[in-house]
Amino acid sequence: MEKPTKGEQTRATILDAALQIASKLGLEGLTIGSLAEATSMSKSGLFAHFGSREDLQLAVLEHAAQRYGERVFLPALKIERGLPRLRALFGHWLDWTLSSGLPGGCIMISAAAEYDDRPGPIRDAVIANQHRGNAISQKAVRLAIDEGHLKADTDPEQIAFEMLGIVLASHNHRRLLGDKEARKRSLLAFDQLIARHAAPRKTLKAVSR
Amino acid sequence: MEKPTKGEQTRATILDAALQIASKLGLEGLTIGSLAEATSMSKSGLFAHFGSREDLQLAVLEHAAQRYGERVFLPALKIERGLPRLRALFGHWLDWTLSSGLPGGCIMISAAAEYDDRPGPIRDAVIANQHRGNAISQKAVRLAIDEGHLKADTDPEQIAFEMLGIVLASHNHRRLLGDKEARKRSLLAFDQLIARHAAPRKTLKAVSR
DNA sequence: CCTACCGATCGGTAGG
DNA sequence: CCTACCGATCGGTAGG
């Protein structure tokens, strides 16, 4: 039950093309017609794989979430827990949003802006994805506290919030303004954020209050 | 030459309605048909005021930029230069993006995400607006350095970059995730950013290197 | 997976 | 500012 069906292969090909379109024009800019042309298929052929445009959009989101897992989350898991892993997570995240191999920008970031006022299943999926990513960031921060790398009173939610801000600013500066320094600025901002919460040296397990 | 023409009034009414739609659905979601219905005008009636949809979108952007000037930039100018003005600028900016009186989110933020991969006049206008806002932030930081409130080696570009990040994260958390703490988190992040670069007390004009 | 079609809506124009 | 219209494209379906 491991062999990919012909249909599954086609579906994967379609999703890759859809992801490319969505990265440039956003999920709202992804139309059945444009996807049909990109895949050299008929519109009804696409409907055989995805019952509706909304289903397609949801599948594209899930496809992107899976890529995030492969490129950001899993590689970070292989790094020793604590500050090293947190740093790896941030670095991979930054690379993912700036150069994911797609022709356009990060689909999660554009979708967040597109659907913050469009109620429905897609918005719900975007929110769920953000919560997943947020939980991953917070977990990495918490481990860094447990390892004694960050001060015990560090607030994981606040750090995750600021990490998101740096990534968003970076995406904006790089992709919209063409700022080549964006990545450097982001790493500097992250380093200073961490330095601000770093535990005094030689402290192993931070003292609980 | 101060009296507003009948046509100018109508134009202003149209722009207000257009801004409301665009704040919810983005500039790409603003269609002539939806605007015609919102204003109880015919589509061709709208074309009498704006030659094309693109002209309309550009006018909406300019309209929003003007509001930003009234609500963020001008009020900050009335505060004494230095840290107080920088703080006021950030606070007004945050309020503007979170609750501008519009039904949806900040149009500049959504437009930045929508057009980062859509070349053309609208993208150019979005970039120009961002550069204007960025220059305003940097100027406020530079004045705070000159007043001796921030250390002389503070990099205005880096501070402006991080301020943008905090605002973007705030907008995302508040509008997409419904996080009521977003504003508090943003102010905390800003305070820590400033504290990190604050000049030692009693230093008037920072020593030039 | 296809051809052939549907009603609705898109931006825009002619003519007044 | 309007009515009345244009070709193109939208998401989606019937029938195979």
Side-chain angles (χ1 to χ4, degrees):
Chain A
M1 47 178 160
E2 286 283 356
K3 52 176 179 180
T5 315
K6 174 83 180 298
E8 283 169 351
Q9 283 179 350
T10 307
R11 189 187 149 99
T13 305
I14 296 173
L15 280 179
D16 282 336
L19 198 54
Q20 288 202 16
I21 296 175
S23 87
K24 286 177 68 176
L25 304 178
L27 274 183
E28 277 301 303
L30 172 64
T31 67
I32 304 286
S34 63
L35 185 57
E37 198 183 339
T39 55
S40 300
M41 284 176 62
S42 67
K43 290 198 296 170
S44 65
L46 295 174
F47 278 109
H49 289 274
F50 309 92
S52 67
R53 183 170 90 115
E54 193 169 271
D55 281 358
L56 168 69
Q57 290 167 314
L58 289 170
V60 170
L61 260 184
E62 200 51 46
H63 196 54
Q66 203 172 327
R67 283 204 181 194
Y68 164 87
E70 294 164 4
R71 303 229 194 170
V72 179
F73 181 58
L74 292 181
L77 275 191
K78 291 179 184 159
I79 310 296
E80 47 175 338
R81 55 179 62 186
L83 214 44
R85 182 180 297 177
L86 181 61
R87 200 176 295 278
L89 181 69
F90 182 80
H92 291 317
W93 186 13
L94 205 57
D95 291 342
W96 151 262
T97 59
L98 294 183
S99 52
S100 53
L102 295 171
C106 175
I107 196 184
M108 300 293 187
I109 292 177
S110 62
E114 280 181 286
Y115 290 92
D116 64 351
D117 283 298
R118 293 178 195 253
I122 302 183
R123 185 187 134 107
D124 295 343
V126 172
I127 292 174
N129 276 333
Q130 280 235 2
H131 278 137
R132 269 191 264 173
N134 208 288
I136 288 171
S137 295
Q138 288 186 35
K139 178 74 179 287
V141 173
R142 229 174 280 121
L143 286 175
I145 297 172
D146 293 346
E147 293 294 319
H149 298 160
L150 295 181
K151 283 188 283 190
D153 66 351
T154 303
D155 179 6
E157 277 194 62
Q158 180 71 21
I159 306 295
F161 175 89
E162 297 195 33
M163 282 169 63
L164 173 67
I166 298 169
V167 167
L168 291 177
S170 182
H171 189 262
N172 182 86
H173 264 61
R174 183 70 258 265
R175 297 210 59 82
L176 181 69
L177 305 181
D179 180 5
K180 305 267 189 193
E181 309 279 281
R183 196 187 138 82
K184 199 193 300 177
R185 285 193 197 294
S186 295
L187 292 175
L188 177 59
F190 177 78
D191 283 345
Q192 295 188 327
L193 172 64
I194 292 306
R196 201 200 305 153
H197 294 89
R201 301 179 185 186
K202 289 294 171 191
T203 303
L204 289 182
K205 296 286 177 177
V207 188
S208 65
R209 54 185 171 116
Chain B
M1 47 179 159
E2 285 284 357
K3 52 175 179 181
T5 316
K6 173 82 180 299
E8 283 170 350
Q9 283 179 351
T10 306
R11 188 187 149 99
T13 305
I14 296 173
L15 280 179
D16 281 336
L19 198 53
Q20 288 201 17
I21 295 175
S23 86
K24 286 175 69 177
L25 303 178
L27 273 183
E28 277 302 300
L30 172 64
T31 66
I32 304 286
S34 63
L35 184 57
E37 198 184 337
T39 54
S40 299
M41 285 176 62
S42 67
K43 290 199 296 171
S44 64
L46 295 174
F47 278 109
H49 290 274
F50 309 92
S52 68
R53 182 169 93 114
E54 193 168 89
D55 281 358
L56 169 68
Q57 290 167 313
L58 289 170
V60 170
L61 259 185
E62 200 49 47
H63 195 54
Q66 204 172 327
R67 283 202 180 195
Y68 164 88
E70 294 164 4
R71 304 230 195 166
V72 179
F73 180 59
L74 292 181
L77 274 191
K78 291 179 183 158
I79 310 297
E80 48 175 338
R81 57 179 60 185
L83 213 44
R85 182 179 296 177
L86 181 60
R87 199 177 294 278
L89 181 70
F90 182 80
H92 291 317
W93 186 14
L94 205 57
D95 291 342
W96 150 263
T97 58
L98 294 183
S99 53
S100 54
L102 295 172
C106 174
I107 196 184
M108 300 294 185
I109 292 178
S110 62
E114 280 181 285
Y115 291 92
D116 64 352
D117 282 299
R118 292 178 195 256
I122 303 184
R123 185 186 134 106
D124 295 342
V126 171
I127 292 174
N129 276 333
Q130 280 234 5
H131 277 136
R132 270 191 265 173
N134 208 288
I136 289 171
S137 295
Q138 288 186 35
K139 178 74 179 286
V141 172
R142 229 174 278 119
L143 286 175
I145 298 172
D146 292 346
E147 293 294 319
H149 298 160
L150 295 181
K151 282 186 285 191
D153 67 351
T154 303
D155 178 6
E157 278 195 60
Q158 179 73 19
I159 306 294
F161 175 87
E162 297 195 33
M163 283 170 63
L164 174 67
I166 298 169
V167 167
L168 291 177
S170 183
H171 190 262
N172 182 84
H173 264 61
R174 184 69 259 267
R175 296 210 60 82
L176 181 69
L177 305 181
D179 180 4
K180 305 268 188 191
E181 311 278 281
R183 197 186 137 82
K184 197 192 302 176
R185 286 194 196 293
S186 296
L187 292 175
L188 178 59
F190 177 76
D191 284 345
Q192 296 188 326
L193 172 64
I194 293 306
R196 201 198 308 153
H197 295 90
R201 302 177 186 190
K202 288 293 171 190
T203 302
L204 290 180
K205 295 287 177 179
V207 188
S208 65
R209 55 188 172 115

